[in-house]
Amino acid sequence: MISKYELGLSEPDIGMICSIAKFFHVSADYLLELSDDRFNMPDSLSDKEKEILFGFKKLDDIGKEKLKAYLQGLLQE
């Protein structure tokens, strides 16, 4: 089905666009070529900050808690 989308033989419905965006961790605007910003985050963030936030989103709950605890430790120094 995705190859049909890529070849322009078919178009996904809104639900499928949302599913594809979630699967690939990108914004729907990026998929629809309405934005070059695949992270769909404020312009005030640097590319490095966006990369860190994108990585955080991919962690499971335990990984997120570990990272938050590590960051708190760094900020207390």
Side-chain angles (χ1 to χ4, degrees), residues 30-42:
Y30 180 77
L31 284 179
L32 297 170
E33 299 178 346
L34 299 173
S35 170
D36 291 333
D37 185 5
R38 71 180 243 190
F39 300 114
N40 196 25
M41 295 188 192

Side-chain angles (χ1 to χ4, degrees), residues 16-18 20-21 24 26-35:
M16 182 56 68
I17 291 170
C18 291
I20 293 169
F24 288 108
V26 297
S27 69
D29 284 351
Y30 180 77
L31 284 179
L32 297 170
E33 299 178 346
L34 299 173
S35 170

Side-chain angles (χ1 to χ4, degrees), residues 7-77:
L7 294 171
L9 301 174
S10 180
E11 293 184 4
D13 62 20
I14 293 173
M16 182 56 68
I17 291 170
C18 291
S19 296
I20 293 169
K22 287 179 185 177
F23 179 81
F24 288 108
H25 303 284
V26 297
S27 69
D29 284 351
Y30 180 77
L31 284 179
L32 297 170
E33 299 178 346
L34 299 173
S35 170
D36 291 333
D37 185 5
R38 71 180 243 190
F39 300 114
N40 196 25
M41 295 188 192
D43 291 335
S44 61
L45 296 177
S46 71
D47 287 343
K48 189 66 176 171
E49 290 168 326
K50 290 177 185 179
E51 181 182 342
I52 290 167
L53 291 173
F54 182 67
F56 182 83
K57 285 183 70 170
K58 292 177 16 177
L59 294 173
D60 63 12
D61 289 341
I62 294 171
K64 287 177 181 177
E65 288 304 316
K66 287 180 180 179
L67 184 56
K68 286 177 13 184
Y70 180 72
L71 180 60
Q72 287 172 346
L74 288 175
L75 294 173
Q76 290 179 357
E77 292 180 0

Side-chain angles (χ1 to χ4, degrees), residues 1-10:
M1 186 56 85
I2 290 178
S3 66
K4 287 184 178 182
Y5 300 153
E6 292 175 332
L7 294 171
L9 301 174
S10 180

